[in-house]
Protein backbone atom coordinates (compact mmCIF):
# COMPACT_ATOMS: atom_id res chain seq x y z
CA UNK A 1 0.00 0.00 0.00
CA UNK A 2 1.40 3.43 -0.96
CA UNK A 3 1.01 6.17 1.60
CA UNK A 4 -0.32 9.45 0.27
CA UNK A 5 0.99 12.49 2.13
CA UNK A 6 -1.73 14.82 3.41
CA UNK A 7 -2.31 17.93 1.34
CA UNK A 8 -1.22 21.05 3.26
CA UNK A 9 -3.73 23.78 3.96
CA UNK A 10 -3.72 26.99 1.93
CA UNK A 11 -2.26 28.94 4.86
CA UNK A 12 0.59 26.50 5.37
CA UNK A 13 1.23 26.36 1.63
CA UNK A 14 1.91 30.11 1.51
CA UNK A 15 3.50 30.45 4.96
CA UNK A 16 7.02 30.92 3.61
CA UNK A 17 5.78 33.45 1.05
CA UNK A 18 3.98 35.52 3.72
CA UNK A 19 7.02 35.38 6.01
CA UNK A 20 9.38 36.54 3.25
CA UNK A 21 7.11 39.40 2.22
CA UNK A 22 6.76 40.40 5.86
CA UNK A 23 10.53 40.66 6.23
CA UNK A 24 10.73 42.73 3.05
CA UNK A 25 8.11 45.18 4.32
CA UNK A 26 9.91 45.38 7.68
CA UNK A 27 13.16 46.32 5.92
CA UNK A 28 11.41 49.19 4.17
CA UNK A 29 9.62 50.41 7.30
CA UNK A 30 12.85 50.39 9.32
CA UNK A 31 14.62 52.39 6.65
CA UNK A 32 16.92 49.57 5.50
CA UNK A 33 15.93 50.12 1.86
CA UNK A 34 18.36 52.60 0.35
CA UNK A 35 17.83 55.24 -2.31
CA UNK A 36 20.24 55.47 -5.24
CA UNK A 37 21.21 58.84 -6.72
CA UNK A 38 20.46 58.18 -10.39
CA UNK A 39 20.67 61.11 -12.77
CA UNK A 40 17.32 60.48 -14.43
CA UNK A 41 15.46 61.21 -11.21
CA UNK A 42 16.96 64.71 -11.14
CA UNK A 43 16.10 65.20 -14.80
CA UNK A 44 12.52 64.21 -14.07
CA UNK A 45 12.44 66.53 -11.10
CA UNK A 46 11.65 63.71 -8.68
CA UNK A 47 13.24 62.78 -5.39
CA UNK A 48 12.98 59.02 -4.68
CA UNK A 49 11.45 58.08 -1.34
CA UNK A 50 11.96 54.81 0.58
CA UNK A 51 8.25 53.95 0.39
CA UNK A 52 8.58 53.72 -3.40
CA UNK A 53 10.05 50.27 -2.81
CA UNK A 54 6.54 49.15 -1.79
CA UNK A 55 5.36 49.40 -5.41
CA UNK A 56 7.70 46.73 -6.92
CA UNK A 57 7.29 44.73 -3.71
CA UNK A 58 3.49 44.69 -4.21
CA UNK A 59 4.06 43.46 -7.77
CA UNK A 60 6.42 40.82 -6.40
CA UNK A 61 3.69 39.66 -3.98
CA UNK A 62 1.39 38.97 -6.94
CA UNK A 63 4.19 37.20 -8.80
CA UNK A 64 4.87 34.92 -5.82
CA UNK A 65 1.34 33.55 -6.10
CA UNK A 66 2.48 31.90 -9.35
CA UNK A 67 5.56 30.22 -7.90
CA UNK A 68 3.86 26.82 -7.48
CA UNK A 69 1.81 26.51 -10.67
CA UNK A 70 4.03 28.61 -12.99
CA UNK A 71 7.57 28.57 -11.52
CA UNK A 72 9.35 29.62 -14.73
CA UNK A 73 7.00 32.53 -15.41
CA UNK A 74 7.16 33.57 -11.75
CA UNK A 75 10.97 33.65 -11.85
CA UNK A 76 11.06 35.77 -15.02
CA UNK A 77 8.53 38.25 -13.66
CA UNK A 78 10.34 38.28 -10.32
CA UNK A 79 13.60 39.27 -11.99
CA UNK A 80 11.78 42.13 -13.71
CA UNK A 81 10.40 43.28 -10.35
CA UNK A 82 13.93 43.25 -8.89
CA UNK A 83 15.25 45.28 -11.83
CA UNK A 84 12.45 47.82 -11.32
CA UNK A 85 13.29 48.01 -7.62
CA UNK A 86 16.99 48.52 -8.31
CA UNK A 87 16.08 51.58 -10.39
CA UNK A 88 14.93 53.13 -7.11
CA UNK A 89 17.75 51.86 -4.94
CA UNK A 90 18.85 48.87 -2.94
CA UNK A 91 16.32 46.74 -1.03
CA UNK A 92 17.41 43.49 0.59
CA UNK A 93 13.77 42.48 1.15
CA UNK A 94 12.89 42.07 -2.51
CA UNK A 95 16.09 40.09 -3.01
CA UNK A 96 14.83 37.66 -0.36
CA UNK A 97 11.62 37.31 -2.39
CA UNK A 98 13.70 36.60 -5.50
CA UNK A 99 15.64 33.96 -3.57
CA UNK A 100 12.33 32.29 -2.61
CA UNK A 101 11.25 32.26 -6.27
CA UNK A 102 14.56 30.71 -7.32
CA UNK A 103 14.19 27.98 -4.68
CA UNK A 104 10.64 27.20 -5.81
CA UNK A 105 11.77 27.21 -9.45
CA UNK A 106 14.63 24.80 -8.73
CA UNK A 107 12.23 22.40 -6.99
CA UNK A 108 9.55 22.33 -9.68
CA UNK A 109 11.21 23.10 -13.02
CA UNK A 110 12.79 20.51 -15.29
CA UNK A 111 16.32 19.35 -14.54
CA UNK A 112 17.60 20.94 -17.76
CA UNK A 113 16.11 24.34 -16.87
CA UNK A 114 17.63 24.17 -13.40
CA UNK A 115 21.08 23.31 -14.83
CA UNK A 116 20.95 26.25 -17.26
CA UNK A 117 19.86 28.63 -14.49
CA UNK A 118 22.63 27.35 -12.21
CA UNK A 119 25.30 27.91 -14.87
CA UNK A 120 24.02 31.44 -15.56
CA UNK A 121 23.97 32.28 -11.84
CA UNK A 122 27.50 31.00 -11.24
CA UNK A 123 28.85 32.76 -14.33
CA UNK A 124 27.22 36.02 -13.21
CA UNK A 125 28.67 35.76 -9.71
CA UNK A 126 32.14 34.91 -10.99
CA UNK A 127 31.97 37.77 -13.50
CA UNK A 128 31.16 40.22 -10.71
CA UNK A 129 34.16 38.96 -8.76
CA UNK A 130 36.40 39.23 -11.83
CA UNK A 131 35.31 42.81 -12.44
CA UNK A 132 36.04 43.62 -8.83
CA UNK A 133 39.60 42.28 -9.17
CA UNK A 134 40.35 44.44 -12.22
CA UNK A 135 42.30 47.65 -11.63
CA UNK A 136 39.87 50.41 -10.74
CA UNK A 137 36.99 47.99 -10.51
CA UNK A 138 35.95 48.93 -7.00
CA UNK A 139 36.97 45.93 -4.90
CA UNK A 140 34.60 46.49 -1.99
CA UNK A 141 31.58 46.99 -4.25
CA UNK A 142 32.51 43.98 -6.41
CA UNK A 143 32.95 41.67 -3.44
CA UNK A 144 29.61 42.82 -1.99
CA UNK A 145 27.80 42.15 -5.28
CA UNK A 146 29.51 38.77 -5.58
CA UNK A 147 28.48 37.71 -2.08
CA UNK A 148 24.93 38.84 -2.71
CA UNK A 149 24.87 36.96 -6.01
CA UNK A 150 26.01 33.74 -4.37
CA UNK A 151 23.57 34.20 -1.46
CA UNK A 152 20.51 35.14 -3.53
CA UNK A 153 21.11 33.16 -6.73
CA UNK A 154 23.41 30.20 -6.08
CA UNK A 155 22.50 29.12 -2.55
CA UNK A 156 18.74 28.58 -3.24
CA UNK A 157 19.61 26.53 -6.32
CA UNK A 158 22.02 24.44 -4.27
CA UNK A 159 19.53 23.82 -1.45
CA UNK A 160 16.79 22.89 -3.90
CA UNK A 161 19.07 20.46 -5.74
CA UNK A 162 19.85 18.74 -2.44
CA UNK A 163 16.14 18.45 -1.67
CA UNK A 164 15.51 16.95 -5.12
CA UNK A 165 18.28 14.41 -4.49
CA UNK A 166 16.59 13.47 -1.22
CA UNK A 167 19.76 13.67 0.85
CA UNK A 168 21.59 16.78 2.08
CA UNK A 169 25.19 17.15 0.98
CA UNK A 170 27.89 15.86 3.37
CA UNK A 171 25.26 14.43 5.70
CA UNK A 172 26.71 12.35 8.52
CA UNK A 173 25.88 8.62 8.29
CA UNK A 174 24.25 8.52 11.73
CA UNK A 175 22.10 11.56 10.91
CA UNK A 176 21.06 9.94 7.64
CA UNK A 177 20.02 6.75 9.44
CA UNK A 178 18.08 8.73 12.05
CA UNK A 179 16.18 10.69 9.38
CA UNK A 180 15.46 7.46 7.50
CA UNK A 181 14.00 5.93 10.66
CA UNK A 182 11.77 8.96 11.19
CA UNK A 183 10.52 8.85 7.61
CA UNK A 184 9.99 5.09 7.83
CA UNK A 185 8.01 5.41 11.07
CA UNK A 186 5.84 8.16 9.59
CA UNK A 187 5.23 6.03 6.49
CA UNK A 188 4.23 3.04 8.61
CA UNK A 189 1.79 5.16 10.61
CA UNK A 190 0.22 6.49 7.42
CA UNK A 191 -0.03 3.00 5.94
CA UNK A 192 -1.63 1.67 9.13
CA UNK A 193 -4.21 4.45 9.08
CA UNK A 194 -5.03 3.74 5.43
CA UNK A 195 -5.25 0.01 6.17
CA UNK A 196 -7.79 0.63 8.96
CA UNK A 197 -9.85 2.85 6.67
CA UNK A 198 -9.78 0.18 3.95
CA UNK A 199 -10.81 -2.56 6.39
CA UNK A 200 -13.69 -0.46 7.73
CA UNK A 201 -14.88 0.26 4.20
CA UNK A 202 -14.68 -3.43 3.31
CA UNK A 203 -16.64 -4.39 6.42
CA UNK A 204 -19.35 -1.88 5.60
CA UNK A 205 -19.48 -3.17 2.03
CA UNK A 206 -19.76 -6.79 3.17
CA UNK A 207 -22.49 -5.87 5.67
CA UNK A 208 -24.39 -4.04 2.92
CA UNK A 209 -24.05 -7.01 0.55
CA UNK A 210 -25.21 -9.47 3.19
CA UNK A 211 -28.20 -7.30 4.02
CA UNK A 212 -29.15 -6.89 0.37
CA UNK A 213 -28.78 -10.57 -0.42
CA UNK A 214 -30.73 -12.17 2.42
CA UNK A 215 -32.85 -9.42 3.96
CA UNK A 216 -35.79 -9.52 1.58
CA UNK A 217 -35.85 -13.31 1.37
CA UNK A 218 -35.55 -13.91 5.11
CA UNK A 219 -38.15 -11.22 5.79
CA UNK A 220 -40.52 -12.89 3.34
CA UNK A 221 -39.97 -16.26 5.00
CA UNK A 222 -40.68 -14.77 8.43
CA UNK A 223 -43.79 -12.97 7.22
CA UNK A 224 -45.16 -16.02 5.40
CA UNK A 225 -44.53 -18.39 8.29
CA UNK A 226 -45.94 -15.88 10.78
CA UNK A 227 -49.12 -15.47 8.77
CA UNK A 228 -49.60 -19.25 8.64
CA UNK A 229 -48.97 -19.69 12.36
CA UNK A 230 -51.49 -17.01 13.31
CA UNK A 231 -54.25 -18.30 11.00
CA UNK A 232 -56.56 -21.24 11.25
CA UNK A 233 -55.16 -24.44 9.72
CA UNK A 234 -55.81 -24.81 6.00
CA UNK A 235 -54.06 -27.66 4.21
CA UNK A 236 -54.06 -26.12 0.72
CA UNK A 237 -53.03 -22.67 1.89
CA UNK A 238 -50.39 -24.03 4.28
CA UNK A 239 -48.88 -26.23 1.57
CA UNK A 240 -48.66 -23.26 -0.79
CA UNK A 241 -47.01 -21.24 1.97
CA UNK A 242 -44.47 -24.00 2.54
CA UNK A 243 -43.70 -24.08 -1.19
CA UNK A 244 -43.16 -20.31 -1.12
CA UNK A 245 -40.91 -20.59 1.93
CA UNK A 246 -38.82 -23.33 0.32
CA UNK A 247 -38.47 -21.45 -2.98
CA UNK A 248 -37.48 -18.26 -1.16
CA UNK A 249 -34.96 -20.02 1.08
CA UNK A 250 -33.31 -21.81 -1.86
CA UNK A 251 -33.12 -18.51 -3.73
CA UNK A 252 -31.55 -16.83 -0.70
CA UNK A 253 -28.97 -19.61 -0.40
CA UNK A 254 -28.12 -19.31 -4.09
CA UNK A 255 -27.61 -15.57 -3.85
CA UNK A 256 -25.63 -15.89 -0.65
CA UNK A 257 -23.39 -18.49 -2.29
CA UNK A 258 -22.95 -16.19 -5.29
CA UNK A 259 -21.89 -13.35 -3.03
CA UNK A 260 -19.39 -15.56 -1.19
CA UNK A 261 -17.89 -16.62 -4.53
CA UNK A 262 -17.57 -12.96 -5.56
CA UNK A 263 -15.82 -12.09 -2.30
CA UNK A 264 -13.43 -15.01 -2.56
CA UNK A 265 -12.54 -14.27 -6.17
CA UNK A 266 -11.96 -10.57 -5.58
CA UNK A 267 -14.35 -9.56 -8.37
CA UNK A 268 -15.68 -5.99 -8.41
CA UNK A 269 -18.19 -5.52 -5.63
CA UNK A 270 -20.40 -3.30 -7.76
CA UNK A 271 -21.42 -6.11 -10.15
CA UNK A 272 -25.06 -7.12 -9.78
CA UNK A 273 -25.81 -10.57 -8.52
CA UNK A 274 -26.70 -13.20 -11.09
CA UNK A 275 -30.39 -13.66 -12.05
CA UNK A 276 -31.42 -10.45 -10.26
CA UNK A 277 -33.10 -7.91 -12.50
CA UNK A 278 -35.98 -5.42 -12.45
CA UNK A 279 -38.74 -7.88 -13.35
CA UNK A 280 -37.39 -10.58 -11.03
CA UNK A 281 -37.43 -8.24 -8.02
CA UNK A 282 -41.01 -7.15 -8.72
CA UNK A 283 -42.20 -10.72 -9.39
CA UNK A 284 -40.58 -11.97 -6.18
CA UNK A 285 -42.26 -9.22 -4.15
CA UNK A 286 -45.64 -10.06 -5.69
CA UNK A 287 -45.18 -13.75 -4.93
CA UNK A 288 -44.76 -12.82 -1.27
CA UNK A 289 -48.11 -11.03 -1.19
CA UNK A 290 -47.20 -7.47 -2.17
CA UNK A 291 -49.38 -5.69 -4.74
CA UNK A 292 -47.03 -3.74 -7.00
CA UNK A 293 -48.10 -1.12 -9.53
CA UNK A 294 -45.11 -0.38 -11.81
CA UNK A 295 -44.92 2.51 -14.23
CA UNK A 296 -42.00 2.74 -16.65
CA UNK A 297 -39.16 0.32 -17.34
CA UNK A 298 -35.52 0.41 -16.49
CA UNK A 299 -33.29 1.44 -19.46
CA UNK A 300 -31.13 -1.27 -20.97
CA UNK A 301 -28.02 0.88 -21.46
CA UNK A 302 -27.26 1.72 -17.83
CA UNK A 303 -23.78 1.15 -16.46
CA UNK A 304 -23.33 -1.96 -14.30
CA UNK A 305 -22.95 0.00 -11.07
CA UNK A 306 -25.97 2.25 -11.74
CA UNK A 307 -28.15 -0.74 -12.61
CA UNK A 308 -26.94 -2.47 -9.47
CA UNK A 309 -27.95 0.52 -7.33
CA UNK A 310 -31.40 0.75 -8.95
CA UNK A 311 -32.07 -2.96 -8.37
CA UNK A 312 -30.93 -2.84 -4.76
CA UNK A 313 -32.95 0.29 -3.95
CA UNK A 314 -36.06 -1.24 -5.55
CA UNK A 315 -35.54 -4.52 -3.70
CA UNK A 316 -35.08 -2.86 -0.32
CA UNK A 317 -38.02 -0.49 -0.85
CA UNK A 318 -40.37 -3.34 -1.74
CA UNK A 319 -39.12 -5.37 1.21
CA UNK A 320 -39.86 -2.45 3.55
CA UNK A 321 -43.32 -2.09 1.99
CA UNK A 322 -43.94 -5.77 2.66
CA UNK A 323 -42.71 -5.61 6.26
CA UNK A 324 -44.03 -2.26 7.43
CA UNK A 325 -46.67 -1.20 4.91
CA UNK A 326 -50.15 -2.13 3.84
CA UNK A 327 -48.91 -4.67 1.26
CA UNK A 328 -49.17 -2.19 -1.65
CA UNK A 329 -46.47 -0.30 -3.52
CA UNK A 330 -46.33 2.05 -6.50
CA UNK A 331 -43.10 2.12 -8.51
CA UNK A 332 -42.31 4.83 -11.01
CA UNK A 333 -39.07 5.07 -13.00
CA UNK A 334 -38.34 7.88 -15.41
CA UNK A 335 -35.31 8.64 -17.54
CA UNK A 336 -34.33 12.25 -18.20
CA UNK A 337 -31.56 13.67 -20.34
CA UNK A 338 -28.93 13.41 -17.63
CA UNK A 339 -30.57 11.66 -14.69
CA UNK A 340 -32.58 8.56 -13.88
CA UNK A 341 -35.35 9.05 -11.31
CA UNK A 342 -36.89 6.24 -9.26
CA UNK A 343 -39.82 6.71 -6.90
CA UNK A 344 -41.34 3.99 -4.72
CA UNK A 345 -44.46 4.82 -2.71
CA UNK A 346 -46.01 2.45 -0.21
CA UNK A 347 -48.92 2.78 2.20
CA UNK A 348 -48.17 2.77 5.92
CA UNK A 349 -49.85 0.20 8.13
CA UNK A 350 -51.04 0.89 11.65
CA UNK A 351 -50.03 -2.65 12.56
CA UNK A 352 -46.86 -3.66 10.69
CA UNK A 353 -46.27 -7.35 10.16
CA UNK A 354 -43.34 -7.38 12.55
CA UNK A 355 -42.01 -4.07 13.84
CA UNK A 356 -39.04 -5.78 15.48
CA UNK A 357 -37.73 -6.81 12.08
CA UNK A 358 -36.82 -3.21 11.16
CA UNK A 359 -33.26 -2.18 12.07
CA UNK A 360 -32.81 0.89 9.88
CA UNK A 361 -29.74 -0.54 8.14
CA UNK A 362 -31.60 -0.95 4.86
CA UNK A 363 -32.21 2.77 4.41
CA UNK A 364 -28.61 3.52 5.37
CA UNK A 365 -27.33 0.97 2.87
CA UNK A 366 -29.50 2.46 0.12
CA UNK A 367 -28.23 5.94 0.94
CA UNK A 368 -24.59 4.83 0.77
CA UNK A 369 -25.06 3.04 -2.55
CA UNK A 370 -26.80 6.02 -4.13
CA UNK A 371 -24.13 8.46 -2.97
CA UNK A 372 -21.39 6.12 -4.20
CA UNK A 373 -22.42 6.71 -7.82
CA UNK A 374 -22.99 10.43 -7.32
CA UNK A 375 -26.76 10.32 -6.82
CA UNK A 376 -29.21 11.67 -4.27
CA UNK A 377 -31.82 9.88 -2.21
CA UNK A 378 -34.70 11.01 0.01
CA UNK A 379 -36.73 8.63 2.18
CA UNK A 380 -39.52 10.12 4.28
CA UNK A 381 -43.16 9.92 5.27
CA UNK A 382 -45.29 12.09 3.00
CA UNK A 383 -48.28 14.20 4.00
CA UNK A 384 -50.81 11.56 2.84
CA UNK A 385 -49.46 8.94 5.29
CA UNK A 386 -47.40 7.06 2.73
CA UNK A 387 -43.72 6.16 2.78
CA UNK A 388 -41.83 7.67 -0.14
CA UNK A 389 -38.39 6.76 -1.46
CA UNK A 390 -37.06 9.10 -4.15
CA UNK A 391 -33.74 8.47 -5.91
CA UNK A 392 -32.01 10.52 -8.58
CA UNK A 393 -28.98 8.96 -10.28
CA UNK A 394 -26.67 10.54 -12.88
CA UNK A 395 -26.64 8.71 -16.19
CA UNK A 396 -22.96 9.60 -16.57
CA UNK A 397 -21.34 7.83 -13.66
CA UNK A 398 -19.23 9.88 -11.29
CA UNK A 399 -16.83 8.69 -8.61
CA UNK A 400 -16.55 10.05 -5.07
Amino acid sequence: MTATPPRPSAGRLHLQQVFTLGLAVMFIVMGWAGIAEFSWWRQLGLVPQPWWHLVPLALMAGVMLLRIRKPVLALVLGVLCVVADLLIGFNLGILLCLSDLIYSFALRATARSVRITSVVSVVFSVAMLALALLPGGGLAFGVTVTLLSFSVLVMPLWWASEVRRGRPLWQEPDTHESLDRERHAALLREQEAQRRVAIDAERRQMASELHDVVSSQVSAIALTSGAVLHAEPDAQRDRKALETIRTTSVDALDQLGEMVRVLRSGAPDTAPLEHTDWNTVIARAESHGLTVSAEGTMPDDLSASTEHVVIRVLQESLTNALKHGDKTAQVHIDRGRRTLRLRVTSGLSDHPADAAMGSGTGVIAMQERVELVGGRMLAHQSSDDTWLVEVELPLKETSR
Side-chain angles (χ1 to χ4, degrees), residues 106-218:
L107 281 180
R108 296 174 174 86
T110 62
R112 183 173 180 271
S113 300
V114 174
R115 285 195 300 270
I116 294 175
T117 306
S118 301
V119 171
V120 172
S121 301
V122 172
V123 169
F124 177 80
S125 302
V126 173
M128 291 296 101
L129 181 60
L131 291 176
L133 297 178
L134 292 176
L139 181 61
F141 178 76
V143 171
T144 301
V145 173
T146 302
L147 292 177
L148 280 175
S149 300
F150 270 102
S151 301
V152 175
L153 303 179
V154 179
M155 290 297 292
L157 291 169
W158 183 21
W159 293 337
S161 65
E162 291 301 308
V163 173
R164 291 179 70 147
R165 290 174 59 236
R167 180 182 300 180
L169 192 62
W170 302 323
Q171 188 183 76
E172 299 86 351
D174 57 338
T175 305
H176 174 62
E177 293 177 1
S178 175
L179 293 177
D180 275 349
R181 285 195 296 269
E182 289 183 8
R183 287 191 291 267
H184 184 63
L187 181 63
L188 288 179
R189 288 193 297 270
E190 181 66 22
Q191 289 179 341
E192 178 63 22
Q194 290 189 358
R195 189 183 69 86
R196 288 196 297 268
V197 171
I199 290 177
D200 291 341
E202 185 177 359
R203 286 175 176 172
R204 288 193 299 269
Q205 181 64 32
M206 292 178 64
S208 178
E209 291 290 344
L210 283 171
H211 179 275
D212 289 340
V213 167
V214 301
S215 174
S216 60
Q217 286 82 356
V218 173

Side-chain angles (χ1 to χ4, degrees), residues 333-391:
I333 188 169
D334 175 49
R335 174 173 183 162
R337 293 182 57 186
R338 298 182 179 180
T339 59
L340 181 71
R341 291 177 292 272
L342 173 66
R343 185 174 69 251
V344 181
T345 307
S346 57
L348 294 176
S349 174
D350 296 333
H351 303 286
D354 193 346
M357 291 169 58
S359 62
T361 58
V363 176
I364 296 175
M366 286 193 295
Q367 185 79 40
E368 291 178 348
R369 289 187 182 280
V370 170
E371 292 178 353
L372 188 63
V373 295
R376 295 181 299 175
M377 172 183 151
L378 182 64
H380 62 98
Q381 182 176 348
S382 61
S383 57
D384 56 351
D385 290 332
T386 59
W387 184 256
L388 180 63
V389 176
E390 295 178 293
V391 174

